[in-house]
Amino acid sequence: MNEDKKDIERGNTLFPSRIPVVIWVSLVYVSTIIMQFIHEPLILASVVFTGLFTVHVLLHWYSYKVSHKRFWIYFSIQGCLIYLCAILMPSGYQAVLIGLLPVLIAESLGFSFRLRRAAFIALIAVIIFFDSALTVGDTGELMLFLPIFALMLIIIIAYANLFFRQVNERLRIQNFLQDLQEAHQKVEELTLANERQRMARDLHDTLAQGLAGLIMQLEAANAHMSEGRVERSQEIINLSMQGARRTLAEARRAIDNLRLKSESEVDFKEAILHEVERFQEATGIVAATNLQLQRRLSRVTMEHLLHIIKESLTNIARHAKAEKVWISMSTDRDQLSIEIMDDGAGFNVDLIGKDAGHYGLLGIQERARLIGGELNVSSNSGGTSVTLRLPLPAGNG
């Protein structure tokens, strides 16, 4: 299919050059017939000449389909056709040789303009010219038409060189534009895929996490209500309403493609402590924190790290059955380390990303990859540990 497409493109590009050549060879045909009939009408020879000439024109019209490997076959057939046409018209052979041989040479140079090939093709054309001219004519006529043939040959070769160089340059530009369009399409597809992944992460980290927190709070409120602790239930319900409003605001920010506030607006440690406080109030699980941060982080890095911590806490609340959680953050030279541990039941880490509907840890891994970090998850019956190590730029104090 690609070869056919290239043939069509090359044919369309060479179309403007084929029309003038067909007009030219048509004039050659008419001139040959007239010259022959003026001296001696040859009906049968003229019929055969017409057939061979038609084959010659058709081969020329579809010459763009000829490959480089078959070029010499094409050139040999066309050379034989020109030779036979000249032999069949002894009184009009001059028009055939002067009109068709230079065109064949120019056409041949369009396949590959090399000095050796041009010299060899010109030599074969001269041999055809001399052989056919001496076969049907005499030396006097040969010496008369030889300068005309040589002049035509020089003009045609010069024109062919210029024209086919322009054609090849145009084809090269077209191929370059096609490659550029394909690359642009691939970039659009990758951009769309990345955008879909980003939207999936944002929806998970806003709506999914927010709703999960609300469910846990409402379950806690229901448990307190069952045991008659109405005041505690009301406190948790008030916290749930605040969480619902916060989740709605975060969802709107995600829809509007807005980011979290910059470091100058919200302290990163405070944001983490706020999430830990929400976690403890919703679950009753004790959380110990040790946050030591002496390096300045970018807005995007803080956003991803905060989402990683939130998702880790959400997973602990939903699945771990833990009684205590430890959250530590420290910087060592040019590396930031964050570790979230629990004393829960643990799980099979080989199932990460394979369990349908559970994409939290997969989202954490994607966020770690986006900021250039390395995430390790280890789990056993004694608990789970999520460790993130993030290289920091040198001199970013």
Side-chain angles (χ1 to χ4, degrees):
M1 293 297 293
N2 291 332
E3 293 296 330
D4 294 339
K5 186 177 181 180
K6 289 181 179 179
D7 288 342
I8 294 174
E9 291 178 354
R10 182 174 176 82
N12 294 333
T13 304
L14 295 175
F15 183 80
S17 68
R18 287 186 290 165
I19 296 297
V21 173
V22 169
I23 296 175
W24 170 258
V25 295
S26 299
L27 294 176
V28 170
Y29 172 79
V30 174
S31 301
T32 305
I33 293 295
I34 292 175
M35 292 173 64
Q36 181 60 47
F37 272 68
I38 289 176
H39 290 83
E40 181 182 1
L42 299 175
I43 304 300
L44 182 59
S46 298
V47 172
V48 177
F49 168 78
T50 302
L52 295 177
F53 202 94
T54 302
V55 174
H56 170 79
V57 174
L58 290 175
L59 288 175
H60 168 75
W61 185 261
Y62 293 103
S63 61
Y64 65 88
K65 293 186 176 182
V66 178
S67 63
H68 289 276
K69 295 181 180 180
R70 299 178 180 177
F71 159 73
W72 290 111
I73 298 176
Y74 171 82
F75 179 78
S76 302
I77 294 174
Q78 289 287 57
C80 292
L81 289 174
I82 294 174
Y83 180 82
L84 292 176
C85 288
I87 298 298
L88 289 171
M89 299 283 106
S91 299
Y93 76 94
Q94 301 91 339
V96 173
L97 297 178
I98 295 175
L100 299 186
L101 278 178
V103 173
L104 178 60
I105 295 173
E107 185 181 37
S108 302
L109 297 179
F111 287 90
S112 177
F113 192 86
R114 299 175 183 174
L115 185 60
R116 292 183 179 180
R117 171 176 286 192
F120 186 70
I121 291 173
L123 177 62
I124 295 177
V126 170
I127 293 174
I128 294 174
F129 178 83
F130 274 93
D131 185 81
S132 56
L134 292 175
T135 300
V136 297
D138 53 31
T139 307
E141 290 183 349
L142 177 62
M143 298 306 296
L144 176 64
F145 287 104
L146 183 59
I148 301 176
F149 174 74
L151 180 61
M152 288 287 296
L153 196 61
I154 294 173
I155 294 174
I156 291 295
I157 291 177
Y159 172 78
N161 180 31
L162 178 62
F163 176 78
F164 284 111
R165 284 183 185 275
Q166 292 176 347
V167 169
N168 292 331
E169 184 66 19
R170 181 177 176 183
L171 290 173
R172 188 184 68 83
I173 293 175
Q174 288 178 347
N175 293 332
F176 174 76
L177 291 176
Q178 184 179 357
D179 294 340
L180 188 62
Q181 289 176 352
E182 293 177 355
H184 178 70
Q185 184 178 359
K186 290 181 180 178
V187 169
E188 286 185 342
E189 292 175 355
L190 290 175
T191 302
L192 180 60
N194 290 334
E195 184 65 15
R196 292 179 65 182
Q197 290 181 355
R198 185 193 67 80
M199 291 176 64
R201 286 193 303 269
D202 289 346
L203 287 174
H204 179 273
D205 295 336
T206 54
L207 293 177
Q209 285 185 353
L211 292 175
L214 289 174
I215 291 172
M216 289 186 295
Q217 288 177 332
L218 292 175
E219 288 176 346
N222 183 54
H224 287 296
M225 186 72 72
S226 302
E227 297 175 1
R229 295 193 288 269
V230 178
E231 293 182 359
R232 180 56 179 165
S233 299
Q234 290 178 343
E235 292 177 0
I236 296 176
I237 291 174
N238 289 331
L239 291 175
S240 300
M241 289 189 294
Q242 294 176 6
R245 294 189 184 97
R246 187 164 46 249
T247 300
L248 178 60
E250 290 178 355
R252 286 173 176 171
R253 283 198 298 269
I255 293 173
D256 295 335
N257 197 25
L258 296 177
R259 297 295 188 182
L260 295 177
K261 294 182 179 180
S262 63
E263 183 185 16
S264 61
E265 297 171 343
V266 174
D267 185 82
F268 185 44
K269 290 183 182 179
E270 291 182 1
I272 296 176
L273 292 174
H274 177 69
E275 292 299 328
V276 172
E277 183 181 355
R278 287 180 58 191
F279 170 78
Q280 291 185 115
E281 291 176 350
T283 63
I285 300 175
V286 178
T289 60
N290 181 19
L291 307 179
Q292 298 179 7
L293 181 63
Q294 291 81 30
R295 298 295 301 272
R296 190 175 182 178
L297 304 177
S298 68
R299 173 179 56 83
V300 175
T301 300
M302 287 190 296
E303 174 190 350
H304 285 293
L305 291 177
L306 188 57
H307 278 307
I308 288 173
I309 294 172
K310 288 169 62 178
E311 177 60 29
S312 298
L313 293 175
T314 301
N315 288 337
I316 293 173
R318 296 176 64 183
H319 308 295
K321 299 178 182 180
E323 295 182 358
K324 193 170 182 178
V325 174
W326 296 267
I327 303 171
S328 63
M329 179 173 63
S330 62
T331 52
D332 181 15
R333 295 183 180 179
D334 294 329
Q335 180 175 270
L336 171 68
S337 298
I338 296 178
E339 186 175 16
I340 302 112
M341 297 188 299
D342 66 73
D343 59 354
F347 69 100
N348 186 358
V349 296
D350 294 333
L351 298 178
I352 296 177
K354 299 179 181 179
D355 192 3
H358 300 280
Y359 303 109
L361 285 174
L362 186 62
I364 290 177
Q365 290 177 336
E366 289 182 357
R367 287 188 180 276
R369 177 180 56 82
L370 288 174
I371 58 178
E374 180 182 354
L375 187 78
N376 292 315
V377 180
S378 60
S379 184
N380 52 47
S381 58
T384 301
S385 173
V386 176
T387 305
L388 172 66
R389 290 182 174 84
L390 174 66
L392 298 176
N396 186 17

